[in-house]
Amino acid sequence: MNATPTDQRRLLDLAEIDTRMRQADHARKNPAQAARVQELLGRRQELSRELGARQGIRDDLRLELSRIEGDVSVVDARRVRDEGRLQTVTNPKDAQGLESELAALARRKSDLEDAELEIMERLEQAEAAVAEQEQVIAEVNAEGAALSAAGKTAVAEATAVYEAAERDRSAIAASVPAELVALYDRLALRGVGAALLRRQTCEGCRMVLSGTDLHAISGAAGDAVVTCPECGCILVRTEESGL
C-alpha cells in the first residue's frame, strides 16, 4: 500500500488520540474512588451488624428496666394499700401481719431499686456504645458519599475527554485515505497501529531494528507503507529515523 508521508504522519495523531481514548475509557469505567467505595460498603456492613448487636443489648436492657419499674410500681401500690389497712385494722394479729408484709415489701423495693440502678448503669453504657457505633457509621457514610460524588465527577470528566477525543479522531480519520485508516485500525486491534521510527528504533515496541530490516526499509519508496518487522505496526519515517 502507498500513502503520502503526510497522510502516514497523521496516523501518529490517530495513535495518540487512541491512547487518550483508551485511558479516558479506563478512567470512566474504573474511577480511582471505586475501590475505596467498595471497601467502605463492606466496612459499613460489618459496622451495621455490630450496631444491630449493640442495639439488641440496649433494647434488652430497656425492656428489663421497664419490667423492674413495673415491679416497683406494684410494690408501691401494695405498700400504700397495706399502710391504709394498717391504719384501720383493730386486730393485733392482723396488724402484725400487715407490718410483716410492709417490711417484706420494703426489702423487695430495696432489692428492685438496687437492680434498677445496676440496669440503668448498664443501659447508659449500652446507649453510649450504640451512639459510638452510629457515629462511626455516619463517618463511613460521609466518606463514601464524598468519594461517590468525586467518582461521578471523575467519570463525567473522563467521559468528556473521551467524547472530545472521539470527535478529534473522526476529523483526522476523515482526512486520511479510508484504505490507510482501515489498515491502521486492523493493526491497532492487536496493539499499536502506527509508531514513529526514530534513531532506528520502533517507538511502538521500543525495539532497535536490525541492519537487514533497516536496509529493506530505507530502500522502500517514500510513499510506501512499511511495517515494523517486530510488532507489525505501521512505521512512520521522518528525518529522525536514522535510515
Side-chain angles (χ1 to χ4, degrees):
M1 181 187 298
N2 295 328
T4 68
T6 298
D7 286 337
Q8 292 189 45
R9 290 192 185 193
R10 288 197 183 109
L11 296 181
L12 297 178
D13 295 330
L14 281 183
E16 186 277 327
I17 291 174
D18 284 345
T19 297
R20 200 190 323 156
M21 289 177 65
R22 284 194 298 271
Q23 292 172 343
D25 191 45
H26 181 271
R28 68 179 180 173
K29 292 178 180 177
N30 304 279
Q33 299 82 0
R36 178 58 177 165
V37 168
Q38 290 301 314
E39 181 182 335
L40 289 174
L41 288 174
R43 173 68 174 150
R44 187 172 64 182
Q45 288 181 344
E46 295 175 1
L47 292 172
S48 295
R49 285 194 293 269
E50 175 62 20
L51 176 62
R54 295 187 183 192
Q55 289 173 329
I57 294 173
R58 179 203 60 189
D59 293 345
D60 287 345
L61 290 170
R62 284 178 176 176
L63 186 62
E64 180 65 12
L65 181 60
S66 178
R67 184 189 66 77
I68 292 175
E69 289 173 342
D71 289 346
V72 169
S73 296
V74 171
V75 169
D76 284 340
R78 290 179 62 183
R79 178 181 56 79
V80 170
R81 183 200 62 185
D82 288 352
E83 286 176 346
R85 291 175 60 189
L86 184 60
Q87 292 176 2
T88 60
V89 73
T90 57
N91 187 312
K93 186 175 181 180
D94 290 342
Q96 185 178 11
L98 287 171
E99 289 173 348
S100 176
E101 183 172 347
L102 284 169
L105 288 172
R107 290 192 298 273
R108 173 61 175 160
K109 183 174 182 179
S110 178
D111 291 342
L112 288 172
E113 288 176 339
D114 289 343
E116 187 177 27
L117 286 174
E118 180 187 354
I119 294 297
M120 289 176 68
E121 290 177 357
R122 291 170 57 193
L123 179 57
E124 183 178 359
Q125 295 172 355
E127 288 177 337
V130 168
E132 177 187 43
Q133 194 72 357
E134 288 175 339
Q135 177 61 31
V136 173
I137 291 175
E139 292 171 357
V140 168
N141 287 340
E143 183 182 355
L147 287 172
S148 294
K152 289 179 181 178
T153 298
V155 169
E157 291 174 350
T159 299
V161 170
Y162 182 89
E163 292 174 349
E166 196 172 36
R167 290 190 296 270
D168 292 343
R169 189 187 199 283
S170 296
I172 293 174
S175 69
V176 179
E179 187 179 5
L180 181 61
V181 173
L183 174 60
Y184 166 85
D185 286 338
R186 286 197 301 274
L187 295 174
L189 288 175
R190 66 190 188 197
V192 179
L196 192 65
L197 176 61
R198 175 180 289 164
R199 298 188 182 91
Q200 304 179 352
T201 301
C202 170
E203 293 199 340
C205 60
R206 302 296 178 182
M207 294 293 293
V208 177
L209 303 189
S210 68
T212 300
D213 291 331
L214 289 170
H215 179 73
I217 292 172
S218 64
D223 64 349
V225 176
V226 299
T227 58
C228 173
E230 299 293 338
C231 66
C233 75
I234 296 172
L235 283 176
V236 179
R237 293 164 287 167
T238 69
E239 61 277 1
E240 297 182 84
S241 295
L243 297 175

